[in-house]
Amino acid sequence: MDIFVKGMATKNFKPNQIAIDFNFIIKEKSYDKCIEKGVNGIEDFVKFLLDMGFNKDDFKTTIFTIREDKIYDDNLKKYEDVGYVFNQNGKLSFDYNLERLSKIISSLSLIKLKPTFNISFNLKDKKLSNEELLKLAYFDAEKQAKSIAEIANLKVVRCQRTSFEPFNEKDFSNTHIEGRDSSLLLKTANYNLQDVFVPEDIVLSTTLFCHFIAE
């Protein structure tokens, strides 16, 4: 007897990784001055990370651009060059630790080139969470197949084949923190995130289609 069932699984996971996306912007009239201030600012930031206990390679550059800065002149009806813009984005990821996060945020106000930033809470090893979900979905499918076989006075002898839908759920928490100016950073320095902040769980689900043989 062929039995076709759909196993489903949903599970809440606690975020175990923190990721901070930093955005550094410098505007100067001179190209040389712009790139000099930008590079010096990033070097200062890397030293800051080293003091925080990170390695240089922990900060991964995601965007690096130097472009002309233009503004639109309503009188002339055209864009005018006003200088240059240095822009570098980078990501810093580390194991979930609110005390360390609080220390980083409170200390950012001390560096020369103050970035804007966005903080997200993720799963460090997505493969393990996906494997756990598949196991739960398979057990659900197997349970259904055994129930169907029992009704027909048969027993499930093997799983002939399986297929599954791709994991299309987001693997990060809905919770995030944004910092857009130095005043916010200074205010944050007066608080301990551990005492007031708990990120939302990450909810993942999957579906596994199974073909069982019962005899």
Side-chain angles (χ1 to χ4, degrees):
M1 179 182 178
D2 294 313
I3 301 176
F4 297 89
V5 290
K6 180 172 68 173
M8 301 181 69
T10 298
K11 185 178 175 68
N12 287 29
F13 294 88
K14 297 293 184 184
N16 57 12
Q17 184 184 64
I18 298 175
I20 311 178
D21 291 289
F22 294 99
N23 181 26
F24 300 87
I25 295 180
I26 286 288
K27 292 186 177 184
E28 289 289 340
K29 294 185 179 298
S30 161
Y31 175 86
D32 290 337
K33 188 68 173 177
C34 184
I35 191 170
E36 178 184 358
K37 289 186 69 174
V39 170
N40 288 342
I42 297 299
E43 289 179 345
D44 180 57
F45 178 70
V46 171
K47 292 178 182 177
F48 161 79
L49 292 181
L50 294 176
D51 291 339
M52 290 287 109
F54 292 99
N55 297 318
K56 183 178 180 180
D57 293 340
D58 291 335
F59 181 63
K60 309 293 185 183
T61 299
T62 55
I63 296 176
F64 181 86
T65 60
I66 303 173
R67 58 178 174 81
E68 293 181 338
D69 191 15
K70 299 176 181 290
I71 60 172
Y72 188 75
D73 191 315
D74 289 326
N75 294 324
L76 298 176
K77 304 300 180 185
K78 67 176 184 178
Y79 285 94
E80 293 288 318
D81 295 334
V82 293
Y84 297 88
V85 179
F86 172 99
N87 180 211
Q88 182 166 342
N89 289 9
K91 175 170 289 199
L92 178 70
S93 299
F94 53 95
D95 290 343
Y96 185 89
N97 186 322
L98 287 182
E99 183 178 0
R100 194 177 196 188
L101 173 62
S102 182
K103 184 178 180 181
I104 293 170
I105 294 176
S106 63
S107 300
L108 279 174
S109 59
L110 303 177
I111 66 175
K112 296 177 183 177
L113 180 55
K114 296 175 177 56
T116 58
F117 63 89
N118 182 69
I119 302 171
S120 58
F121 301 86
N122 316 313
L123 290 176
K124 184 176 182 179
D125 194 335
K126 302 176 181 67
K127 182 179 178 181
L128 287 178
S129 59
N130 289 344
E131 289 177 351
E132 188 171 348
L133 278 174
L134 279 177
K135 288 179 182 178
L136 292 174
Y138 178 82
F139 292 150
D140 179 56
E142 185 180 47
K143 182 179 179 180
Q144 295 179 61
K146 287 180 178 179
S147 296
I148 294 171
E150 186 178 349
I151 294 173
N153 293 319
L154 298 172
K155 288 187 177 181
V156 171
V157 294
R158 68 178 180 277
C159 179
Q160 186 73 6
R161 59 181 174 139
T162 62
S163 65
F164 62 93
E165 298 175 350
F167 292 95
N168 55 6
E169 286 76 14
K170 60 187 180 181
D171 49 16
F172 56 90
S173 172
N174 283 324
T175 306
H176 67 283
I177 302 173
E178 293 185 4
R180 297 190 177 277
D181 55 46
S182 58
S183 62
L184 176 61
L185 299 177
L186 290 171
K187 291 177 182 178
T188 308
N190 298 322
Y191 298 93
N192 188 339
L193 294 179
Q194 298 180 92
D195 298 333
V196 298
F197 191 80
V198 178
E200 185 180 17
D201 284 356
I202 299 165
V203 182
L204 297 181
S205 61
T206 192
T207 300
L208 183 67
F209 296 91
C210 298
H211 174 195
F212 288 94
I213 303 298
E215 296 178 352

